[in-house]
Structure formats: C-alpha cells, structure tokens
Amino acid sequence: FGTMKAEKNKFRHFGVDISRNEETLDVQMCQKSYIANLKPISRKKEKGRTVECDSNPQEVTDFRSLVSGIAWVGITSPGAQAVASLMQGFLPIPKLKHLDMANAALQQLIDEYVPLVFRFGFDLSSSKLLLQTDSSLGNNQKYSQGGFVLFLCENHPQNLAGHVNLIGFRSGKSKRVANSTSAAETLAMNAGLETALHIQTWLAELQNPLLTPKQMTTLPSNEMLPIDACTDCNDLYSNLMNPAQPNLVNLSMTLHMSALRAERECKRVRAWIWLDTDDMLANPLTKLNVDGTLPQEDLVECLKTGWWAPVSYTHLTL
C-alpha cells in the first residue's frame, strides 16, 4: 500500500469522525460534518404541476443523490438507514411529493442526528444482548420492510434494560416474500437474531482468546452473553412460547420458525419477550410518516441518554 500512517484517538475515516473521550474513554462515531454537506432537492416550480406529478430527469438525479447521501449516514444512524431504504421504494420515477418527503427527512436528520457512541465501562460478566425487531408489511406489495436494533445492556434480574449501548442495527427489505404480518415479523426476527448470534460469538471469542476454533464450537451457551429477543407481534410471540410446534397457515414460515425455536432450545437465546408497540425502539425503522420523517422520538432519546426503561412487556423464560 505504500506509505501509511496510524491514527488514533481522533481522526476521520471515509467521512466518519471517530474520537475517544480522554476522560470517559467513550468512543464516538459522528457524521455531522458529512450531513452538513447534503443539499436539499430544488424542485422546479411550474404552473399546473401538482404533488402527484412525476419528477423531471434532473429532479430524479437529485433525488437519487440525496437518498444515496442519507444512506451513507446509515453507518452511524439507524434512522438514516431506514429513510434511505424506504425512499428507494419511490424509484425509478419519484413523484413531486416524494421530493418533498426526502427534503423533510434531510431536515429531520439535521435536527435530530445523534452520533453513535460506544460507552466505556460495560462489564461483560453482568451484561446481555437485547434484540428488538419489527416489520411493516404495508410499505411494499411484495417484500416487507424489516428492522432491528441490538443493544449491549445491563443484565438486571427484574428490569428489561437500563443503561444501553447500541451495537447493531439494520433496516431494509426482507429477502423473502411475506404474505402476512406474522410472516413478516418472523423474517425480521430471523434477520435480527442472525446478527445477535454473530456478535454473541464474537464477544465470546474476545473473552476466550486462547480457545481454538474447534473449542469455540463446543463452548457452552451459558458461558456466552445471554440474548433476550423482543417482538411486538402477538402471533409470533405466541408461536415461540407454545411448547408444541404450531401448524402455521403459511407453510413457508415453518422452517424460519423452527430456526428460531432451535436457538432457544440450545439456549443461545435466553428468552422471548413481548413488548408493547409504544415501547418498541425498532418500530421507526420500518415506516415513514406521511411527510417523509420518522416517528423516532423514543429512539433518539435512547441514543442521546444511553438509557431505556420500557413500561409494558412480558418477560417469561421457558
């Protein structure tokens, strides 16, 4: 690679400003400077053009450019990733109202962006992974929009959470067709759990650096961080908690449901949790408001404070 240099504590990497707080040792990934360079779409005003009219070629190019720019902010922002994914559904020819929605989404990003912070001080011996997944079937005629957030948080015996640290998230079209809300939620849970299991294994490797790969494959589940997985879908929760394998109306979901139940049976997942939709932080990653913004007030507050305390949930361990 030729001449290279090592950078630490404070540097920029592909538009992401990375810094370590010298006092708290927290590590921050911030894209505020990048966001400041994103430009709203200039919509050409002509007599007779209503919001339902198609965009002209230049406006389509500007729309693509803005959505791509917002997508890059998805490196550090779950909301930006969700907006970009949902806005791509308006292509190839967005209407004028979609340009206005993209501009509103950009303004919300400017006003509400919160850097991604990895807070120092979490003791892995008293922590857990908390997964929240959600899906929306109404955003697309064929593929549902799935989203999840994954937190490293305190492992309270009585409370679901407390101090939390966001370490994983995604918002995007599901890879398979869903013909019901329950099926869409099942696909979202599978996608989220795949990431949670990967990070669970990775953290176990960090805690056991001397184990061989073969030994890692036989590491007992109780020596890994527990995973608690949350859904706000009553059907999915009921099926997961039912001791007997249910006869699903959608037979294509049988395999996906079996995969989820298998992870619980081998104790890689500690508990399935039903969470009220009002407390579900993954909810804004699957739907837009009519003006193009996201209903993300609770998620933004959680990211700002590093604290989350839900009110209504059912926490039962089989």
Side-chain angles (χ1 to χ4, degrees):
F1 295 98
T3 303
M4 301 179 67
K5 66 177 181 178
E7 295 181 296
K8 61 180 182 179
N9 294 329
K10 188 175 183 180
F11 57 93
R12 176 170 294 181
H13 182 69
F14 287 100
V16 182
D17 293 314
I18 302 174
S19 61
R20 183 192 298 274
N21 187 300
E22 295 182 357
E23 296 182 0
T24 65
L25 300 183
D26 294 347
V27 175
Q28 175 178 277
M29 297 176 63
C30 181
Q31 291 180 277
K32 281 187 176 181
S33 297
Y34 177 83
I35 294 171
N37 291 320
L38 297 179
K39 304 298 181 185
I41 303 167
S42 178
R43 182 153 72 85
K44 188 175 182 180
K45 295 182 179 180
E46 293 180 355
K47 188 176 181 179
R49 295 186 85 199
T50 67
V51 294
E52 295 295 336
C53 291
D54 290 344
S55 304
N56 62 41
Q58 182 58 53
E59 290 169 339
V60 173
T61 298
D62 293 343
F63 180 84
R64 289 180 180 273
S65 177
L66 178 56
V67 171
S68 297
I70 293 176
W72 187 248
V73 186
I75 294 175
T76 61
S77 170
Q81 192 176 114
V83 164
S85 177
L86 291 165
M87 290 285 178
Q88 286 172 357
F90 300 143
L91 294 169
I93 307 295
K95 297 186 180 298
L96 295 182
K97 65 180 180 181
H98 298 146
L99 308 187
D100 295 336
M101 292 172 69
N103 285 339
L106 173 60
Q107 189 59 53
Q108 183 185 36
L109 186 60
I110 293 171
D111 295 338
E112 300 181 5
Y113 174 76
V114 181
L116 187 59
V117 178
F118 301 95
R119 293 175 173 84
F120 180 80
F122 275 88
D123 182 1
L124 294 183
S125 65
S126 59
S127 299
K128 69 176 181 181
L129 295 173
L130 182 66
L131 174 67
Q132 300 181 44
T133 69
D134 192 40
S135 184
S136 179
L137 193 61
N139 285 308
N140 193 287
Q141 295 180 351
K142 188 175 181 181
Y143 296 98
S144 56
Q145 183 77 18
F148 69 83
V149 286
L150 179 65
F151 294 97
L152 177 67
C153 66
E154 297 172 302
N155 188 17
H156 287 300
Q158 302 298 328
N159 301 322
L160 184 56
H163 292 289
V164 297
N165 205 122
L166 182 65
I167 58 173
F169 57 86
R170 182 184 181 275
S171 175
K173 296 289 184 293
S174 296
K175 297 179 181 179
R176 293 174 176 82
V177 176
N179 55 11
S180 69
T181 298
S182 179
E185 295 279 359
T186 302
L187 291 173
M189 179 61 76
N190 270 277
L193 191 56
E194 182 179 358
T195 296
L197 293 170
H198 173 75
I199 293 181
Q200 182 189 54
T201 303
W202 178 60
L203 292 174
E205 290 176 337
L206 292 178
Q207 291 178 286
N208 301 276
L210 300 181
L211 292 185
T212 65
K214 185 176 181 179
Q215 290 172 323
M216 277 298 305
T217 61
T218 59
L219 187 68
S221 299
N222 59 9
E223 294 185 21
M224 298 182 178
L225 261 68
I227 296 175
D228 290 346
C230 306
T231 179
D232 63 355
C233 178
N234 287 310
D235 286 346
L236 174 58
Y237 179 72
S238 297
N239 287 335
L240 290 172
M241 295 300 293
N242 190 342
Q245 178 73 21
N247 293 320
L248 301 177
V249 176
N250 186 343
L251 296 180
S252 65
M253 287 296 105
T254 302
L255 180 61
H256 302 292
M257 186 65 67
S258 298
L260 294 176
R261 294 167 70 90
E263 297 301 346
R264 176 66 189 90
E265 289 170 5
C266 70
K267 302 188 184 304
R268 292 292 297 269
V269 174
R270 182 175 65 176
W272 304 117
I273 299 168
W274 176 85
L275 185 64
D276 190 274
T277 300
D278 290 339
D279 289 319
M280 172 60 72
L281 296 182
N283 184 53
L285 304 187
T286 64
K287 55 187 67 69
L288 293 171
N289 293 323
V290 293
D291 64 349
T293 60
L294 292 175
Q296 61 174 5
E297 294 83 1
D298 291 342
L299 178 59
V300 169
E301 184 64 21
C302 173
L303 297 178
K304 282 182 178 179
T305 61
W307 177 268
W308 182 64
V311 176
S312 182
Y313 62 92
T314 301
H315 188 174
L316 297 173
T317 303
L318 288 175

